[in-house]
Amino acid sequence: MPVLKEIRIYPIKSLGGIALSEAIVEERGFRYDRRWMLVTPEGKFLTQRTIFPMSLIDVALTDSSLRVWHRNEPANALEVPLDLMTTEILSVTVWDDTILANVVSAEADQWFSHVLGFPCRLVRMPETTHRTADQDYAQPGDVVSFADGYPYLMIGASSLEELNRRIPEELSMTRFRPNLIIEGSQPHEEDTWSRFSIGDIAFRGVKPCARCVLTTIDPATGEKGKEPLKTLATYRRANGKIYFGENCIADVTGVLRVGDVINITEYKEPRLAFEPA
């Protein structure tokens, strides 16, 4: 029977992730997951897709703050209290969405601008902002944080093992930035789960996750390569896109813990059939 192997959150969009033993499930994603985001002074979102050095900025979560540092300068750390944000409102864009966010602090803006080498600002999503999840697959009322399109991303450990079996150099799960890592399933079985529960939390599997150039950036070095997209394209391509992992939405709130058992209650036909090589 599949179980939850790992939980990961990414408090600041496109910066380092954090592994947790348990996490609070909220409608727009795990608590603290992608609630902060770096933007240009005009409010356009920033990611590793074009700014590779963002992959070298790590984040830790304490009881009261985020601790942020560049991997090559660990002594120069920024502390961001979890409840800190100014009254300054900034209109920000994430893909096709324009929403309101709070500027966190002048100190944070200065720190990130110095570390990345260009002007940028750190913003936080307030509870009053409701960003609608992609309605092509979500239901009315489904919301999301600053994540690309959906609140949760799930990947099976066996799916990565299958990729690494086909690829010249083994890659880590870090490249794919999942929230939920599962074990005890077949490769890409997560694509077939329409409704399932992890522990007491009910989820919907809404669509496979289309992957982009971000996965080709080595999280250890910030350098860009050709993998894994080159290999994934040989067996995970459909409709001009490359898929790896399943986007999910939680139907209830609560707590998830590593080791929770997964119960699948409804299956679906996968968009991309998997055939072992």
Side-chain angles (χ1 to χ4, degrees):
M1 181 173 288
V3 299
L4 182 59
K5 180 183 180 182
E6 293 183 46
I7 297 170
R8 297 185 187 180
I9 64 171
Y10 309 85
I12 303 176
K13 183 178 176 69
S14 220
L15 300 190
I18 302 168
L20 301 174
S21 59
E22 64 178 51
I24 297 174
V25 175
E26 298 179 339
E27 291 180 344
R28 65 186 75 190
F30 280 130
R31 180 168 294 180
Y32 304 130
D33 184 48
R34 297 175 175 96
R35 300 302 200 275
W36 292 263
M37 180 173 69
L38 289 170
V39 299
T40 66
E42 297 75 32
K44 182 179 180 180
F45 77 118
L46 301 172
T47 77
Q48 292 181 34
R49 292 174 179 86
T50 54
I51 305 167
F52 303 158
M54 289 176 68
S55 64
L56 301 178
I57 300 179
D58 291 322
V59 182
L61 177 67
T62 73
D63 290 340
S64 60
S65 70
L66 297 178
R67 185 174 187 272
V68 187
W69 69 97
H70 191 286
R71 205 169 301 149
N72 296 335
E73 299 180 23
N76 178 26
L78 172 71
E79 295 285 340
V80 180
L82 296 176
D83 59 355
L84 176 65
M85 56 183 177
T86 68
T87 56
E88 182 181 356
I89 303 294
L90 190 64
S91 178
V92 301
T93 58
V94 185
W95 299 114
D96 295 330
D97 297 329
T98 300
I99 53 179
L100 298 179
N102 287 83
V103 174
V104 171
S105 70
E107 179 188 8
D109 293 349
Q110 293 167 3
W111 190 91
F112 281 107
S113 297
H114 171 74
V115 168
L116 292 174
F118 59 86
C120 56
R121 311 196 77 181
L122 181 66
V123 298
R124 180 180 172 182
M125 177 179 282
E127 293 299 320
T128 52
T129 288
H130 297 279
R131 180 180 169 224
T132 302
D134 186 347
Q135 291 296 290
D136 287 343
Y137 302 94
Q139 297 178 358
D142 289 336
V143 294
V144 64
S145 63
F146 289 133
D148 281 348
Y150 299 93
Y152 298 91
L153 174 61
M154 175 176 63
I155 299 178
S158 62
S159 302
L160 179 62
E161 291 168 3
E162 177 65 26
L163 170 61
N164 281 329
R165 193 173 65 81
R166 299 168 181 251
I167 210 165
E169 183 178 351
E170 184 171 307
L171 302 179
S172 73
M173 189 67 85
T174 306
R175 289 197 183 228
F176 301 97
R177 303 176 70 80
N179 300 111
L180 306 163
I181 302 173
I182 59 175
E183 64 179 353
S185 60
Q186 296 299 310
H188 305 292
E189 183 184 334
E190 60 269 24
D191 295 357
T192 70
W193 298 353
S194 178
R195 292 185 179 273
F196 59 97
S197 61
I198 306 178
D200 297 327
I201 309 299
F203 285 88
R204 283 171 277 139
V206 293
K207 70 175 289 291
C209 182
R211 309 315 304 230
C212 68
V213 67
L214 192 149
T215 61
T216 67
I217 301 167
D218 186 339
T221 65
E223 297 177 352
K224 184 178 179 297
K226 295 182 178 180
E227 296 292 2
L229 296 183
K230 180 180 178 181
T231 296
L232 284 172
T234 65
Y235 72 108
R236 296 295 298 169
R237 181 188 289 273
N239 303 318
K241 296 182 179 181
I242 296 170
Y243 296 100
F244 192 80
E246 180 76 6
N247 289 304
C248 306
I249 295 174
D251 283 330
V252 296
T253 58
V255 178
L256 282 188
R257 296 177 178 85
V258 169
D260 280 348
V261 173
I262 301 171
N263 180 39
I264 301 92
T265 55
E266 185 178 319
Y267 289 88
K268 63 181 177 179
E269 193 69 28
R271 179 177 300 190
L272 184 62
F274 170 68
E275 297 181 2

